[in-house]
PDB file of all heavy atoms in Angstrom:
ATOM      1  N   SER L 204       0.867  -1.180   0.000  1.00  0.00           N
ATOM      2  CA  SER L 204       0.000   0.000   0.000  1.00  0.00           C
ATOM      3  C   SER L 204       0.900   1.225   0.000  1.00  0.00           C
ATOM      4  O   SER L 204       2.105   1.131   0.239  1.00  0.00           O
ATOM      5  CB  SER L 204      -0.937   0.002   1.213  1.00  0.00           C
ATOM      6  OG  SER L 204      -0.200   0.075   2.422  1.00  0.00           O
ATOM      7  N   ASP L 205       0.311   2.390  -0.249  1.00  0.00           N
ATOM      8  CA  ASP L 205       1.096   3.619  -0.351  1.00  0.00           C
ATOM      9  C   ASP L 205       0.147   4.798  -0.187  1.00  0.00           C
ATOM     10  O   ASP L 205      -0.940   4.811  -0.782  1.00  0.00           O
ATOM     11  CB  ASP L 205       1.785   3.675  -1.718  1.00  0.00           C
ATOM     12  CG  ASP L 205       2.862   4.751  -1.810  1.00  0.00           C
ATOM     13  OD1 ASP L 205       3.138   5.389  -0.793  1.00  0.00           O
ATOM     14  OD2 ASP L 205       3.417   4.930  -2.913  1.00  0.00           O
ATOM     15  N   MET L 206       0.514   5.761   0.620  1.00  0.00           N
ATOM     16  CA  MET L 206      -0.295   6.971   0.743  1.00  0.00           C
ATOM     17  C   MET L 206       0.569   8.108   1.282  1.00  0.00           C
ATOM     18  O   MET L 206       1.580   7.880   1.940  1.00  0.00           O
ATOM     19  CB  MET L 206      -1.500   6.760   1.665  1.00  0.00           C
ATOM     20  CG  MET L 206      -1.160   6.509   3.121  1.00  0.00           C
ATOM     21  SD  MET L 206      -2.640   6.334   4.161  1.00  0.00           S
ATOM     22  CE  MET L 206      -3.215   8.036   4.200  1.00  0.00           C
ATOM     23  N   THR L 207       0.164   9.325   0.973  1.00  0.00           N
ATOM     24  CA  THR L 207       0.824  10.509   1.517  1.00  0.00           C
ATOM     25  C   THR L 207      -0.237  11.501   1.962  1.00  0.00           C
ATOM     26  O   THR L 207      -1.225  11.724   1.247  1.00  0.00           O
ATOM     27  CB  THR L 207       1.723  11.197   0.474  1.00  0.00           C
ATOM     28  OG1 THR L 207       2.647  10.254  -0.062  1.00  0.00           O
ATOM     29  CG2 THR L 207       2.487  12.349   1.096  1.00  0.00           C
ATOM     30  N   ARG L 208      -0.018  12.077   3.123  1.00  0.00           N
ATOM     31  CA  ARG L 208      -0.843  13.180   3.579  1.00  0.00           C
ATOM     32  C   ARG L 208       0.066  14.279   4.128  1.00  0.00           C
ATOM     33  O   ARG L 208       1.093  14.008   4.747  1.00  0.00           O
ATOM     34  CB  ARG L 208      -1.829  12.734   4.662  1.00  0.00           C
ATOM     35  CG  ARG L 208      -2.963  11.847   4.141  1.00  0.00           C
ATOM     36  CD  ARG L 208      -3.869  12.612   3.206  1.00  0.00           C
ATOM     37  NE  ARG L 208      -5.022  11.841   2.764  1.00  0.00           N
ATOM     38  CZ  ARG L 208      -5.073  11.103   1.666  1.00  0.00           C
ATOM     39  NH1 ARG L 208      -3.973  10.997   0.901  1.00  0.00           N
ATOM     40  NH2 ARG L 208      -6.169  10.457   1.328  1.00  0.00           N
ATOM     41  N   THR L 209      -0.318  15.505   3.858  1.00  0.00           N
ATOM     42  CA  THR L 209       0.375  16.674   4.383  1.00  0.00           C
ATOM     43  C   THR L 209      -0.591  17.414   5.297  1.00  0.00           C
ATOM     44  O   THR L 209      -1.702  17.773   4.872  1.00  0.00           O
ATOM     45  CB  THR L 209       0.848  17.595   3.240  1.00  0.00           C
ATOM     46  OG1 THR L 209       1.739  16.864   2.380  1.00  0.00           O
ATOM     47  CG2 THR L 209       1.575  18.812   3.785  1.00  0.00           C
ATOM     48  N   VAL L 210      -0.199  17.608   6.543  1.00  0.00           N
ATOM     49  CA  VAL L 210      -1.040  18.295   7.525  1.00  0.00           C
ATOM     50  C   VAL L 210      -0.254  19.477   8.091  1.00  0.00           C
ATOM     51  O   VAL L 210       0.962  19.570   7.921  1.00  0.00           O
ATOM     52  CB  VAL L 210      -1.469  17.343   8.663  1.00  0.00           C
ATOM     53  CG1 VAL L 210      -2.235  16.145   8.097  1.00  0.00           C
ATOM     54  CG2 VAL L 210      -0.265  16.856   9.468  1.00  0.00           C
ATOM     55  N   ALA L 211      -0.946  20.380   8.774  1.00  0.00           N
ATOM     56  CA  ALA L 211      -0.296  21.539   9.389  1.00  0.00           C
ATOM     57  C   ALA L 211      -0.473  21.483  10.892  1.00  0.00           C
ATOM     58  O   ALA L 211      -1.478  20.978  11.396  1.00  0.00           O
ATOM     59  CB  ALA L 211      -0.881  22.830   8.833  1.00  0.00           C
ATOM     60  N   LEU L 212       0.500  22.017  11.605  1.00  0.00           N
ATOM     61  CA  LEU L 212       0.423  22.086  13.061  1.00  0.00           C
ATOM     62  C   LEU L 212       0.136  23.528  13.478  1.00  0.00           C
ATOM     63  O   LEU L 212       0.886  24.446  13.136  1.00  0.00           O
ATOM     64  CB  LEU L 212       1.732  21.622  13.701  1.00  0.00           C
ATOM     65  CG  LEU L 212       1.761  21.664  15.237  1.00  0.00           C
ATOM     66  CD1 LEU L 212       0.772  20.656  15.821  1.00  0.00           C
ATOM     67  CD2 LEU L 212       3.159  21.395  15.770  1.00  0.00           C
ATOM     68  N   GLY L 213      -0.948  23.712  14.207  1.00  0.00           N
ATOM     69  CA  GLY L 213      -1.277  25.024  14.772  1.00  0.00           C
ATOM     70  C   GLY L 213      -1.991  25.953  13.817  1.00  0.00           C
ATOM     71  O   GLY L 213      -3.116  26.387  14.073  1.00  0.00           O
ATOM     72  N   TYR L 214      -1.360  26.264  12.706  1.00  0.00           N
ATOM     73  CA  TYR L 214      -1.962  27.164  11.730  1.00  0.00           C
ATOM     74  C   TYR L 214      -1.265  26.977  10.389  1.00  0.00           C
ATOM     75  O   TYR L 214      -0.188  26.374  10.305  1.00  0.00           O
ATOM     76  CB  TYR L 214      -1.849  28.622  12.183  1.00  0.00           C
ATOM     77  CG  TYR L 214      -0.427  29.133  12.219  1.00  0.00           C
ATOM     78  CD1 TYR L 214       0.140  29.771  11.110  1.00  0.00           C
ATOM     79  CD2 TYR L 214       0.360  28.985  13.368  1.00  0.00           C
ATOM     80  CE1 TYR L 214       1.453  30.226  11.136  1.00  0.00           C
ATOM     81  CE2 TYR L 214       1.675  29.446  13.399  1.00  0.00           C
ATOM     82  CZ  TYR L 214       2.210  30.058  12.286  1.00  0.00           C
ATOM     83  OH  TYR L 214       3.505  30.509  12.306  1.00  0.00           O
ATOM     84  N   ALA L 215      -1.880  27.485   9.340  1.00  0.00           N
ATOM     85  CA  ALA L 215      -1.291  27.487   8.000  1.00  0.00           C
ATOM     86  C   ALA L 215      -1.437  28.883   7.425  1.00  0.00           C
ATOM     87  O   ALA L 215      -2.507  29.501   7.529  1.00  0.00           O
ATOM     88  CB  ALA L 215      -1.969  26.467   7.102  1.00  0.00           C
ATOM     89  N   THR L 216      -0.388  29.400   6.830  1.00  0.00           N
ATOM     90  CA  THR L 216      -0.446  30.720   6.211  1.00  0.00           C
ATOM     91  C   THR L 216      -1.324  30.679   4.969  1.00  0.00           C
ATOM     92  O   THR L 216      -1.663  29.603   4.440  1.00  0.00           O
ATOM     93  CB  THR L 216       0.954  31.203   5.828  1.00  0.00           C
ATOM     94  OG1 THR L 216       1.468  30.333   4.788  1.00  0.00           O
ATOM     95  CG2 THR L 216       1.892  31.186   7.023  1.00  0.00           C
ATOM     96  N   GLU L 217      -1.659  31.859   4.466  1.00  0.00           N
ATOM     97  CA  GLU L 217      -2.477  31.929   3.255  1.00  0.00           C
ATOM     98  C   GLU L 217      -1.769  31.250   2.086  1.00  0.00           C
ATOM     99  O   GLU L 217      -2.401  30.547   1.282  1.00  0.00           O
ATOM    100  CB  GLU L 217      -2.788  33.387   2.912  1.00  0.00           C
ATOM    101  CG  GLU L 217      -3.687  33.542   1.691  1.00  0.00           C
ATOM    102  CD  GLU L 217      -4.036  34.994   1.411  1.00  0.00           C
ATOM    103  OE1 GLU L 217      -3.715  35.869   2.244  1.00  0.00           O
ATOM    104  OE2 GLU L 217      -4.625  35.263   0.345  1.00  0.00           O
ATOM    105  N   LYS L 218      -0.446  31.430   1.994  1.00  0.00           N
ATOM    106  CA  LYS L 218       0.298  30.795   0.911  1.00  0.00           C
ATOM    107  C   LYS L 218       0.270  29.277   1.055  1.00  0.00           C
ATOM    108  O   LYS L 218       0.117  28.551   0.059  1.00  0.00           O
ATOM    109  CB  LYS L 218       1.735  31.296   0.894  1.00  0.00           C
ATOM    110  CG  LYS L 218       2.559  30.762  -0.274  1.00  0.00           C
ATOM    111  CD  LYS L 218       3.944  31.390  -0.326  1.00  0.00           C
ATOM    112  CE  LYS L 218       4.727  30.935  -1.549  1.00  0.00           C
ATOM    113  NZ  LYS L 218       6.072  31.563  -1.616  1.00  0.00           N
ATOM    114  N   MET L 219       0.426  28.791   2.267  1.00  0.00           N
ATOM    115  CA  MET L 219       0.371  27.343   2.501  1.00  0.00           C
ATOM    116  C   MET L 219      -0.985  26.786   2.095  1.00  0.00           C
ATOM    117  O   MET L 219      -1.082  25.746   1.423  1.00  0.00           O
ATOM    118  CB  MET L 219       0.654  27.034   3.972  1.00  0.00           C
ATOM    119  CG  MET L 219       2.094  27.303   4.400  1.00  0.00           C
ATOM    120  SD  MET L 219       2.325  27.313   6.202  1.00  0.00           S
ATOM    121  CE  MET L 219       2.008  25.591   6.606  1.00  0.00           C
ATOM    122  N   ARG L 220      -2.049  27.474   2.477  1.00  0.00           N
ATOM    123  CA  ARG L 220      -3.402  27.022   2.135  1.00  0.00           C
ATOM    124  C   ARG L 220      -3.607  27.031   0.619  1.00  0.00           C
ATOM    125  O   ARG L 220      -4.206  26.109   0.054  1.00  0.00           O
ATOM    126  CB  ARG L 220      -4.447  27.919   2.801  1.00  0.00           C
ATOM    127  CG  ARG L 220      -4.515  27.767   4.320  1.00  0.00           C
ATOM    128  CD  ARG L 220      -5.470  28.808   4.910  1.00  0.00           C
ATOM    129  NE  ARG L 220      -5.520  28.748   6.355  1.00  0.00           N
ATOM    130  CZ  ARG L 220      -6.375  28.011   7.061  1.00  0.00           C
ATOM    131  NH1 ARG L 220      -7.263  27.260   6.431  1.00  0.00           N
ATOM    132  NH2 ARG L 220      -6.342  28.033   8.375  1.00  0.00           N
ATOM    133  N   ASN L 221      -3.113  28.074  -0.036  1.00  0.00           N
ATOM    134  CA  ASN L 221      -3.280  28.190  -1.483  1.00  0.00           C
ATOM    135  C   ASN L 221      -2.577  27.048  -2.208  1.00  0.00           C
ATOM    136  O   ASN L 221      -3.156  26.399  -3.094  1.00  0.00           O
ATOM    137  CB  ASN L 221      -2.733  29.530  -1.958  1.00  0.00           C
ATOM    138  CG  ASN L 221      -2.880  29.704  -3.462  1.00  0.00           C
ATOM    139  OD1 ASN L 221      -3.964  29.502  -4.014  1.00  0.00           O
ATOM    140  ND2 ASN L 221      -1.802  30.085  -4.133  1.00  0.00           N
ATOM    141  N   ILE L 222      -1.324  26.774  -1.831  1.00  0.00           N
ATOM    142  CA  ILE L 222      -0.572  25.689  -2.463  1.00  0.00           C
ATOM    143  C   ILE L 222      -1.264  24.359  -2.212  1.00  0.00           C
ATOM    144  O   ILE L 222      -1.385  23.518  -3.122  1.00  0.00           O
ATOM    145  CB  ILE L 222       0.878  25.652  -1.934  1.00  0.00           C
ATOM    146  CG1 ILE L 222       1.630  26.936  -2.316  1.00  0.00           C
ATOM    147  CG2 ILE L 222       1.615  24.414  -2.444  1.00  0.00           C
ATOM    148  CD1 ILE L 222       1.855  27.105  -3.784  1.00  0.00           C
ATOM    149  N   TYR L 223      -1.701  24.157  -0.993  1.00  0.00           N
ATOM    150  CA  TYR L 223      -2.368  22.895  -0.658  1.00  0.00           C
ATOM    151  C   TYR L 223      -3.582  22.675  -1.558  1.00  0.00           C
ATOM    152  O   TYR L 223      -3.774  21.574  -2.100  1.00  0.00           O
ATOM    153  CB  TYR L 223      -2.799  22.893   0.811  1.00  0.00           C
ATOM    154  CG  TYR L 223      -3.292  21.532   1.272  1.00  0.00           C
ATOM    155  CD1 TYR L 223      -2.429  20.647   1.906  1.00  0.00           C
ATOM    156  CD2 TYR L 223      -4.598  21.118   1.029  1.00  0.00           C
ATOM    157  CE1 TYR L 223      -2.863  19.382   2.302  1.00  0.00           C
ATOM    158  CE2 TYR L 223      -5.045  19.866   1.425  1.00  0.00           C
ATOM    159  CZ  TYR L 223      -4.170  19.007   2.056  1.00  0.00           C
ATOM    160  OH  TYR L 223      -4.609  17.748   2.436  1.00  0.00           O
ATOM    161  N   HIS L 224      -4.391  23.705  -1.724  1.00  0.00           N
ATOM    162  CA  HIS L 224      -5.622  23.533  -2.507  1.00  0.00           C
ATOM    163  C   HIS L 224      -5.343  23.371  -3.997  1.00  0.00           C
ATOM    164  O   HIS L 224      -6.112  22.700  -4.701  1.00  0.00           O
ATOM    165  CB  HIS L 224      -6.581  24.685  -2.232  1.00  0.00           C
ATOM    166  CG  HIS L 224      -7.180  24.641  -0.853  1.00  0.00           C
ATOM    167  ND1 HIS L 224      -7.972  23.591  -0.432  1.00  0.00           N
ATOM    168  CD2 HIS L 224      -7.067  25.475   0.210  1.00  0.00           C
ATOM    169  CE1 HIS L 224      -8.348  23.795   0.826  1.00  0.00           C
ATOM    170  NE2 HIS L 224      -7.807  24.931   1.240  1.00  0.00           N
ATOM    171  N   ILE L 225      -4.253  23.929  -4.494  1.00  0.00           N
ATOM    172  CA  ILE L 225      -3.868  23.680  -5.894  1.00  0.00           C
ATOM    173  C   ILE L 225      -3.528  22.208  -6.080  1.00  0.00           C
ATOM    174  O   ILE L 225      -3.984  21.564  -7.041  1.00  0.00           O
ATOM    175  CB  ILE L 225      -2.667  24.567  -6.290  1.00  0.00           C
ATOM    176  CG1 ILE L 225      -3.070  26.039  -6.310  1.00  0.00           C
ATOM    177  CG2 ILE L 225      -2.127  24.149  -7.663  1.00  0.00           C
ATOM    178  CD1 ILE L 225      -1.885  26.989  -6.422  1.00  0.00           C
ATOM    179  N   VAL L 226      -2.732  21.656  -5.159  1.00  0.00           N
ATOM    180  CA  VAL L 226      -2.361  20.240  -5.250  1.00  0.00           C
ATOM    181  C   VAL L 226      -3.593  19.357  -5.117  1.00  0.00           C
ATOM    182  O   VAL L 226      -3.766  18.377  -5.862  1.00  0.00           O
ATOM    183  CB  VAL L 226      -1.323  19.887  -4.164  1.00  0.00           C
ATOM    184  CG1 VAL L 226      -1.043  18.387  -4.151  1.00  0.00           C
ATOM    185  CG2 VAL L 226      -0.025  20.651  -4.399  1.00  0.00           C
ATOM    186  N   LEU L 227      -4.467  19.696  -4.188  1.00  0.00           N
ATOM    187  CA  LEU L 227      -5.680  18.896  -3.992  1.00  0.00           C
ATOM    188  C   LEU L 227      -6.563  18.928  -5.234  1.00  0.00           C
ATOM    189  O   LEU L 227      -7.083  17.886  -5.664  1.00  0.00           O
ATOM    190  CB  LEU L 227      -6.448  19.423  -2.781  1.00  0.00           C
ATOM    191  CG  LEU L 227      -7.736  18.666  -2.422  1.00  0.00           C
ATOM    192  CD1 LEU L 227      -7.448  17.205  -2.128  1.00  0.00           C
ATOM    193  CD2 LEU L 227      -8.426  19.329  -1.229  1.00  0.00           C
ATOM    194  N   GLN L 228      -6.730  20.099  -5.836  1.00  0.00           N
ATOM    195  CA  GLN L 228      -7.522  20.192  -7.061  1.00  0.00           C
ATOM    196  C   GLN L 228      -6.899  19.372  -8.180  1.00  0.00           C
ATOM    197  O   GLN L 228      -7.597  18.650  -8.908  1.00  0.00           O
ATOM    198  CB  GLN L 228      -7.659  21.643  -7.506  1.00  0.00           C
ATOM    199  CG  GLN L 228      -8.477  21.801  -8.802  1.00  0.00           C
ATOM    200  CD  GLN L 228      -8.396  23.197  -9.388  1.00  0.00           C
ATOM    201  OE1 GLN L 228      -7.698  24.077  -8.862  1.00  0.00           O
ATOM    202  NE2 GLN L 228      -9.094  23.430 -10.491  1.00  0.00           N
ATOM    203  N   ALA L 229      -5.579  19.454  -8.306  1.00  0.00           N
ATOM    204  CA  ALA L 229      -4.886  18.693  -9.353  1.00  0.00           C
ATOM    205  C   ALA L 229      -5.102  17.194  -9.153  1.00  0.00           C
ATOM    206  O   ALA L 229      -5.350  16.457 -10.127  1.00  0.00           O
ATOM    207  CB  ALA L 229      -3.401  19.025  -9.337  1.00  0.00           C
ATOM    208  N   GLN L 230      -5.007  16.742  -7.907  1.00  0.00           N
ATOM    209  CA  GLN L 230      -5.186  15.313  -7.656  1.00  0.00           C
ATOM    210  C   GLN L 230      -6.622  14.874  -7.942  1.00  0.00           C
ATOM    211  O   GLN L 230      -6.868  13.854  -8.591  1.00  0.00           O
ATOM    212  CB  GLN L 230      -4.800  14.969  -6.222  1.00  0.00           C
ATOM    213  CG  GLN L 230      -4.609  13.468  -6.026  1.00  0.00           C
ATOM    214  CD  GLN L 230      -5.145  12.967  -4.706  1.00  0.00           C
ATOM    215  OE1 GLN L 230      -6.147  13.471  -4.192  1.00  0.00           O
ATOM    216  NE2 GLN L 230      -4.492  11.957  -4.155  1.00  0.00           N
ATOM    217  N   LYS L 231      -7.589  15.641  -7.450  1.00  0.00           N
ATOM    218  CA  LYS L 231      -8.994  15.274  -7.651  1.00  0.00           C
ATOM    219  C   LYS L 231      -9.362  15.222  -9.131  1.00  0.00           C
ATOM    220  O   LYS L 231     -10.052  14.294  -9.587  1.00  0.00           O
ATOM    221  CB  LYS L 231      -9.903  16.253  -6.906  1.00  0.00           C
ATOM    222  CG  LYS L 231      -9.926  16.077  -5.400  1.00  0.00           C
ATOM    223  CD  LYS L 231     -10.904  17.069  -4.765  1.00  0.00           C
ATOM    224  CE  LYS L 231     -11.077  16.810  -3.277  1.00  0.00           C
ATOM    225  NZ  LYS L 231     -12.011  17.788  -2.649  1.00  0.00           N
ATOM    226  N   GLU L 232      -8.905  16.229  -9.890  1.00  0.00           N
ATOM    227  CA  GLU L 232      -9.229  16.264 -11.318  1.00  0.00           C
ATOM    228  C   GLU L 232      -8.581  15.103 -12.058  1.00  0.00           C
ATOM    229  O   GLU L 232      -9.192  14.491 -12.948  1.00  0.00           O
ATOM    230  CB  GLU L 232      -8.776  17.598 -11.918  1.00  0.00           C
ATOM    231  CG  GLU L 232      -9.559  18.801 -11.443  1.00  0.00           C
ATOM    232  CD  GLU L 232     -11.001  18.807 -11.933  1.00  0.00           C
ATOM    233  OE1 GLU L 232     -11.272  18.218 -12.998  1.00  0.00           O
ATOM    234  OE2 GLU L 232     -11.851  19.389 -11.240  1.00  0.00           O
ATOM    235  N   ALA L 233      -7.351  14.779 -11.714  1.00  0.00           N
ATOM    236  CA  ALA L 233      -6.660  13.680 -12.394  1.00  0.00           C
ATOM    237  C   ALA L 233      -7.300  12.341 -12.048  1.00  0.00           C
ATOM    238  O   ALA L 233      -7.425  11.470 -12.916  1.00  0.00           O
ATOM    239  CB  ALA L 233      -5.177  13.679 -12.035  1.00  0.00           C
ATOM    240  N   ILE L 234      -7.701  12.159 -10.796  1.00  0.00           N
ATOM    241  CA  ILE L 234      -8.390  10.918 -10.429  1.00  0.00           C
ATOM    242  C   ILE L 234      -9.705  10.804 -11.195  1.00  0.00           C
ATOM    243  O   ILE L 234     -10.044   9.736 -11.725  1.00  0.00           O
ATOM    244  CB  ILE L 234      -8.632  10.854  -8.904  1.00  0.00           C
ATOM    245  CG1 ILE L 234      -7.307  10.631  -8.168  1.00  0.00           C
ATOM    246  CG2 ILE L 234      -9.619   9.752  -8.552  1.00  0.00           C
ATOM    247  CD1 ILE L 234      -7.414  10.680  -6.655  1.00  0.00           C
ATOM    248  N   SER L 235     -10.429  11.910 -11.310  1.00  0.00           N
ATOM    249  CA  SER L 235     -11.691  11.895 -12.063  1.00  0.00           C
ATOM    250  C   SER L 235     -11.465  11.564 -13.535  1.00  0.00           C
ATOM    251  O   SER L 235     -12.336  10.975 -14.192  1.00  0.00           O
ATOM    252  CB  SER L 235     -12.395  13.257 -11.950  1.00  0.00           C
ATOM    253  OG  SER L 235     -12.783  13.514 -10.619  1.00  0.00           O
ATOM    254  N   GLY L 236     -10.288  11.944 -14.056  1.00  0.00           N
ATOM    255  CA  GLY L 236      -9.989  11.700 -15.464  1.00  0.00           C
ATOM    256  C   GLY L 236      -9.268  10.402 -15.739  1.00  0.00           C
ATOM    257  O   GLY L 236      -8.935  10.105 -16.892  1.00  0.00           O
ATOM    258  N   THR L 237      -9.026   9.597 -14.699  1.00  0.00           N
ATOM    259  CA  THR L 237      -8.304   8.336 -14.881  1.00  0.00           C
ATOM    260  C   THR L 237      -9.256   7.247 -15.348  1.00  0.00           C
ATOM    261  O   THR L 237     -10.292   6.995 -14.723  1.00  0.00           O
ATOM    262  CB  THR L 237      -7.635   7.906 -13.551  1.00  0.00           C
ATOM    263  OG1 THR L 237      -6.670   8.885 -13.187  1.00  0.00           O
ATOM    264  CG2 THR L 237      -6.960   6.549 -13.701  1.00  0.00           C
ATOM    265  N   ARG L 238      -8.908   6.601 -16.428  1.00  0.00           N
ATOM    266  CA  ARG L 238      -9.668   5.449 -16.919  1.00  0.00           C
ATOM    267  C   ARG L 238      -8.776   4.650 -17.853  1.00  0.00           C
ATOM    268  O   ARG L 238      -7.800   5.163 -18.408  1.00  0.00           O
ATOM    269  CB  ARG L 238     -10.943   5.891 -17.636  1.00  0.00           C
ATOM    270  CG  ARG L 238     -10.726   6.703 -18.895  1.00  0.00           C
ATOM    271  CD  ARG L 238     -12.041   6.962 -19.625  1.00  0.00           C
ATOM    272  NE  ARG L 238     -11.842   7.719 -20.853  1.00  0.00           N
ATOM    273  CZ  ARG L 238     -11.827   9.029 -20.918  1.00  0.00           C
ATOM    274  NH1 ARG L 238     -11.998   9.749 -19.828  1.00  0.00           N
ATOM    275  NH2 ARG L 238     -11.632   9.644 -22.081  1.00  0.00           N
ATOM    276  N   ALA L 239      -9.113   3.385 -18.021  1.00  0.00           N
ATOM    277  CA  ALA L 239      -8.339   2.517 -18.906  1.00  0.00           C
ATOM    278  C   ALA L 239      -8.366   3.065 -20.332  1.00  0.00           C
ATOM    279  O   ALA L 239      -9.383   3.577 -20.800  1.00  0.00           O
ATOM    280  CB  ALA L 239      -8.900   1.106 -18.874  1.00  0.00           C
ATOM    281  N   GLY L 240      -7.232   2.956 -21.005  1.00  0.00           N
ATOM    282  CA  GLY L 240      -7.137   3.424 -22.388  1.00  0.00           C
ATOM    283  C   GLY L 240      -6.464   4.767 -22.503  1.00  0.00           C
ATOM    284  O   GLY L 240      -5.897   5.091 -23.562  1.00  0.00           O
ATOM    285  N   ARG L 241      -6.537   5.583 -21.453  1.00  0.00           N
ATOM    286  CA  ARG L 241      -5.789   6.827 -21.467  1.00  0.00           C
ATOM    287  C   ARG L 241      -4.322   6.528 -21.209  1.00  0.00           C
ATOM    288  O   ARG L 241      -3.993   5.640 -20.428  1.00  0.00           O
ATOM    289  CB  ARG L 241      -6.308   7.788 -20.399  1.00  0.00           C
ATOM    290  CG  ARG L 241      -7.506   8.601 -20.856  1.00  0.00           C
ATOM    291  CD  ARG L 241      -7.782   9.769 -19.938  1.00  0.00           C
ATOM    292  NE  ARG L 241      -8.526  10.803 -20.642  1.00  0.00           N
ATOM    293  CZ  ARG L 241      -9.089  11.844 -20.057  1.00  0.00           C
ATOM    294  NH1 ARG L 241      -8.975  11.998 -18.742  1.00  0.00           N
ATOM    295  NH2 ARG L 241      -9.754  12.741 -20.760  1.00  0.00           N
ATOM    296  N   THR L 242      -3.448   7.272 -21.856  1.00  0.00           N
ATOM    297  CA  THR L 242      -2.029   7.009 -21.674  1.00  0.00           C
ATOM    298  C   THR L 242      -1.561   7.565 -20.328  1.00  0.00           C
ATOM    299  O   THR L 242      -2.210   8.438 -19.734  1.00  0.00           O
ATOM    300  CB  THR L 242      -1.193   7.652 -22.793  1.00  0.00           C
ATOM    301  OG1 THR L 242      -1.243   9.077 -22.651  1.00  0.00           O
ATOM    302  CG2 THR L 242      -1.709   7.244 -24.165  1.00  0.00           C
TER     303      THR L 242
END
């Protein structure tokens, strides 16, 4: 098995939150677009 999670301790700056949500959006969209036959 394999997994990664990134969490924050105490607080996250606006830049940290922004970067996190870009990565999360990228992952969600790619998972939604994953299907057999795509390269």
Side-chain angles (χ1 to χ4, degrees):
S204 63
D205 193 5
M206 66 178 288
T207 306
R208 289 294 184 268
T209 301
V210 301
L212 180 66
Y214 67 92
T216 66
E217 182 177 352
K218 184 175 184 179
M219 291 166 67
R220 291 174 183 269
N221 180 50
I222 296 294
Y223 189 95
H224 289 298
I225 293 169
V226 174
L227 181 59
Q228 180 191 2
Q230 195 219 34
K231 286 182 173 179
E232 291 292 333
I234 289 175
S235 295
T237 297
R238 64 174 181 272
R241 276 194 157 169
T242 69

